[in-house]
């Protein structure tokens, strides 16, 4: 298995994290995140509920990953 070492002065940046930040500001992804947060606030505001926010979370993460996938692999060495 190959080992990659960075120079001591060089700070490595995760390209996926950078792309996620860019994609997160896109309108439809931001609205999915807001939907997830609204659900999360609603669930946390109740003491007894069977509701979870898994659907909202999956929708948000799937769309975010789909956006990132368009350019992630071109940035990997």
């Amino acid at each position: 298995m190959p080992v990659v070492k960075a120079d001591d002065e060089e700070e490595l940046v995760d390209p996926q994290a950078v792309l996620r930040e860019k994609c997160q500001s896109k309108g439809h992804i931001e609205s999915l995140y807001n939907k997830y947060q609204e659900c999360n606030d609603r669930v946390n505001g109740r003491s007894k509920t069977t509701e979870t926010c898994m659907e909202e979370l999956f929708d948000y993460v799937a769309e975010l990953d789909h956006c990132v996938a368009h350019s992630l692999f071109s940035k990997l060495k």
Side-chain angles (χ1 to χ4, degrees):
M1 186 182 263
V3 176
V4 178
K5 294 183 180 182
D7 295 337
D8 291 335
E9 297 174 16
E10 182 182 345
E11 185 174 328
L12 297 177
V13 178
D14 182 4
Q16 183 179 19
V18 173
L19 290 171
R20 278 185 173 209
E21 284 181 33
K22 287 181 183 177
C23 286
Q24 216 163 4
S25 64
K26 293 190 176 191
H28 66 290
I29 295 175
E30 192 171 14
S31 69
L32 287 172
Y33 179 75
N34 291 337
K35 240 173 128 172
Y36 167 66
Q37 285 300 323
E38 288 171 11
C39 178
N40 205 24
D41 292 342
R42 185 173 61 248
V43 169
N44 288 334
R46 296 180 183 163
S47 58
K48 293 182 180 179
T49 183
T50 59
E51 181 182 15
T52 65
C53 299
M54 293 303 290
E55 182 179 349
E56 289 83 355
L57 177 62
F58 287 157
D59 290 344
Y60 165 67
V61 171
E63 195 63 33
L64 184 63
D65 285 346
H66 179 75
C67 175
V68 169
H70 285 291
S71 55
L72 176 64
F73 292 103
S74 67
K75 301 203 180 303
L76 298 178
K77 293 182 181 179

